[in-house]
Amino acid sequence: MSTSIDTIIDFTTDASLKNIAHKIKNATRITNEECLLLFEKADLPFVGALANHVREKLHGNKTYFNRNFHIEPTNVCVFSCKFCAYSRLYAHKEEGWELSIDQMLDIVKTYDDKPITEVHIVGGVHPKMNMAYFIELIQKIHAHRPALHVKGFTAVELDYMFRKAKVSVEEGMLQLKNAGLQSLPGGGAEIFHPEIRNIIAGDKVTGDGWLNIHEAAHNLGMHTNATMLYGHIEKYEHRVDHMSRLRELQDKTKGFQTFIPLKFRNMNNDMSDVPESTITEDMRLYAIARIYLDNFPHLKSYWPMLGRQNAQLSLSFGVNDIDGTIDDSTKIYSMAGSEEQTPAMSTEDLVTLIKQVKRQPIERDTLYNEIKDFS
Ligand code: V47
Ligand code: SF4
């Protein structure tokens, strides 16, 4: 059992940290300066107790997962993010893969007799796969299995698609929504601040561009997620800046569902000399995100990248969602050095993982409607 917030308040001698603990107890928002202070000064038990308080107030012991599968249309990409172990430039496309619409539909059909609720489509930015191609894909998936929720395309893919099709962000989003796209995943956010973004992902959509695309989706009533790639060359200030831009947009639109911190993995990429963050630092980040992002309903740890044991641990540090029963088509992390080389967990595995730490496993759909309580 974790320490209660009252015990933490009693035992904290540092006045500014004590004040933050009082704020969280009273459900008062903390400032950016206070968030930075937590990164700089607060130890894991302190932020853990506060985050757990917030988590249990919001969700009790409920821990969500969903049944989904991924389609990765291609790993050929016009961009060259330094941390990416997954993409291949078009000039080396023979080393990569490119799926036709029929091949992707065949993947969808392999799940015909399975109780899957979501397909997650995300991949590299292929110069020849354009908006018309993806509209056709979405329409065909929809026609084949209308109840399947189509969550797809990072703002990076969308930005490229819209620019190539010469449509505005608003017009492009509307066309995809009309074709059957229902929500957006949170990828491509990395670190918004240009000081870092220009170094690690300088040639793709800017932080403002990413936020713009999510805002346009929210304005159409679509829900989206947000990620942050952390634990590389960014400083605490950049994390605070990133989360504050998300909190601000969420105040405006309320369209984000889940914040997903993504731990930088350093294998097979151009940043292999950058050490990975420690597990203590990972858990501190989850906890601080839960404390700071008071308008985000959910905090997700993505087990294929963090590893299942660490994802389980994160359930004590603010996390209330551990994604889904992804099958082994997800290559983005195994290629970057995650311990999950073939990321697949059955529903039973996920339920056991959650129950082992005395939380309540709930299957959800993409929009967090509860499907089944497994407790
Ligand atoms: O944007 C790439 C990250 C993201 C590495 O919304 C890396 O439900 C760590 O966003 N080390 C794509 N991370 C995946 C993504 C996602 C995943 C699961 C669920 C959802 C959701 C979204 O993967 C990229 C990038 O930030 N990534 N390379 C790496 N070496
Ligand atoms: Fe391309 Fe995405 Fe990899 Fe960047 S992270 S190189 S945009 S596949």
Side-chain angles (χ1 to χ4, degrees):
M1 218 175 77
S2 59
T3 316
S4 78
I5 195 160
D6 289 321
T7 311
I8 282 289
I9 290 173
D10 287 348
F11 282 91
T12 301
T13 49
D14 181 291
S16 45
L17 289 179
K18 205 180 182 84
N19 186 44
I20 293 176
H22 275 294
K23 276 189 154 182
I24 298 307
K25 190 178 171 195
N26 299 328
T28 304
R29 174 170 280 194
I30 65 165
T31 63
N32 291 356
E33 293 69 32
E34 287 167 331
C35 185
L36 187 59
L37 194 84
L38 288 178
F39 276 121
E40 283 170 347
K41 269 173 87 172
D43 62 17
L44 184 60
F46 179 87
V47 291
L50 267 51
N52 201 47
H53 173 83
V54 176
R55 185 247 203 252
E56 291 186 356
K57 251 180 96 180
L58 285 171
H59 306 291
N61 276 324
K62 285 182 179 175
T63 300
Y64 296 101
F65 65 93
N66 73 347
R67 297 202 214 199
N68 66 1
F69 66 97
H70 284 218
I71 295 180
E72 296 178 355
T74 183
N75 69 338
V76 172
C77 191
V78 297
F79 298 121
S80 19
C81 305
K82 287 218 168 66
F83 52 82
C84 185
Y86 160 91
S87 65
R88 296 291 174 270
L89 285 170
Y90 189 64
H92 304 285
K93 70 181 169 49
E94 64 291 342
E95 295 168 17
W97 70 85
E98 310 167 340
L99 301 182
S100 67
I101 290 180
D102 284 343
Q103 283 172 316
M104 291 190 263
L105 270 179
D106 284 344
I107 297 177
V108 175
K109 287 175 188 162
T110 61
Y111 294 92
D112 275 356
D113 56 347
K114 302 207 172 79
I116 295 285
T117 58
E118 172 190 288
V119 54
H120 177 144
I121 309 170
V122 68
V125 178
H126 192 295
K128 302 231 160 105
M129 290 182 178
N130 59 17
M131 190 153 150
Y133 188 82
F134 288 118
I135 284 180
E136 187 183 339
L137 172 69
I138 299 165
Q139 283 170 336
K140 287 191 166 160
I141 293 177
H142 220 62
H144 177 72
R145 193 164 168 178
L148 195 64
H149 184 109
V150 182
K151 175 176 92 177
F153 311 116
T154 63
V156 177
E157 294 165 274
L158 295 171
D159 169 67
Y160 188 82
M161 241 186 255
F162 298 160
R163 282 191 290 119
K164 253 193 112 178
K166 297 193 171 36
V167 292
S168 68
V169 169
E170 289 72 22
E171 174 58 27
M173 281 311 312
L174 186 63
Q175 286 190 27
L176 291 174
K177 186 184 179 213
N178 288 341
L181 183 69
Q182 286 154 292
S183 50
L184 308 188
E190 324 311 359
I191 289 283
F192 293 142
H193 200 292
E195 259 169 36
I196 302 299
R197 195 173 191 86
N198 288 343
I199 299 172
I200 64 168
D203 52 358
K204 70 186 188 188
V205 67
T206 61
D208 286 343
W210 188 100
L211 289 159
N212 233 343
I213 286 177
H214 281 254
E215 183 168 2
H218 298 171
N219 288 341
L220 291 173
M222 296 164 80
H223 285 90
T224 75
N225 291 337
T227 57
M228 175 171 78
L229 179 71
Y230 73 92
H232 42 90
I233 58 165
E234 89 286 6
K235 297 203 170 73
Y236 290 147
E237 286 87 339
H238 301 118
R239 295 183 187 181
V240 176
D241 174 75
H242 189 94
M243 294 196 293
S244 80
R245 295 197 204 195
L246 291 174
R247 193 168 78 169
E248 234 170 75
L249 178 56
Q250 180 73 333
D251 276 343
K252 209 163 141 191
T253 63
K254 306 199 169 30
F256 288 118
Q257 303 205 97
T258 315
F259 182 57
I260 315 164
L262 295 171
K263 176 191 174 104
F264 164 69
R265 308 305 307 244
N266 69 2
M267 252 173 69
N268 302 321
N269 56 34
D270 291 343
M271 291 171 70
S272 295
D273 56 321
V274 177
E276 292 180 358
S277 63
T278 62
I279 184 68
T280 306
E281 200 49 23
D282 295 335
M283 295 303 131
R284 259 172 28 90
L285 170 64
Y286 280 110
I288 294 170
R290 184 59 286 171
I291 295 164
Y292 177 81
L293 289 173
D294 59 345
N295 55 3
F296 269 66
H298 304 285
L299 179 66
K300 188 197 285 193
S301 66
Y302 187 53
W303 64 263
M305 182 257 308
L306 197 60
R308 59 194 78 190
Q309 305 285 351
N310 296 340
Q312 188 184 52
L313 185 63
S314 73
L315 300 181
S316 300
F317 293 93
V319 168
N320 70 296
D321 186 327
I322 50 172
D323 207 82
T325 50
I326 301 147
D327 80 350
D328 64 3
S329 61
T330 304
K331 300 184 183 68
I332 197 157
Y333 296 108
S334 51
M335 289 168 84
S338 166
E339 36 286 274
E340 299 287 347
Q341 287 302 305
T342 49
M345 255 210 277
S346 67
T347 304
E348 209 187 330
D349 295 337
L350 272 171
V351 166
T352 305
L353 195 91
I354 296 166
K355 280 187 174 170
Q356 279 169 342
V357 287
K358 309 271 182 291
R359 298 291 195 194
Q360 182 188 0
I362 311 262
E363 185 190 343
R364 61 162 175 90
D365 66 12
T366 312
L367 302 177
Y368 288 83
N369 297 304
E370 295 186 5
I371 295 178
K372 187 172 170 188
D373 184 344
F374 282 82
S375 46

